[in-house]
Amino acid sequence: MDPFLLFFCILPLAAVISICLQIWYSDKVDQAIGRWQNQHGYTFLDRERKRIWSGPFMATRSSYVYTIRVLDRTGHERAGWIRCNPTQVEVAWEDES
């Protein structure tokens, strides 16, 4: 097979696979955040993903960082940061830093 043709067949396939894996990973992170939210009884008022650095956390290839505002079970609003991957969620609150 012509190397030029092979390159232009493999490149789009690799891009599609990469995009699918990113979507799958993002979905797993969202599920982990949902479990954390339900476990602690929070309602999200705002959640924004940060690409590099936010608060005490730095985003990496394997973890996402979000700034958050939540409402707890007693109706108190809290703000902070979440760093998470599909298996772990770490939280830092503004009022505790």
Side-chain angles (χ1 to χ4, degrees), residues 40-56:
H40 296 282
Y42 293 125
T43 301
F44 279 108
L45 301 174
D46 187 36
R47 180 176 90 174
E48 182 180 347
R49 183 172 171 201
K50 299 299 182 180
R51 298 292 176 187
I52 303 227
W53 192 278
S54 185

Side-chain angles (χ1 to χ4, degrees), residues 24-53:
W24 174 82
Y25 194 84
S26 293
D27 185 54
K28 293 298 180 189
V29 168
D30 283 343
Q31 289 175 18
I33 292 172
R35 285 190 302 272
W36 171 83
Q37 176 187 4
N38 291 335
Q39 184 179 29
H40 296 282
Y42 293 125
T43 301
F44 279 108
L45 301 174
D46 187 36
R47 180 176 90 174
E48 182 180 347
R49 183 172 171 201
K50 299 299 182 180
R51 298 292 176 187
I52 303 227
W53 192 278

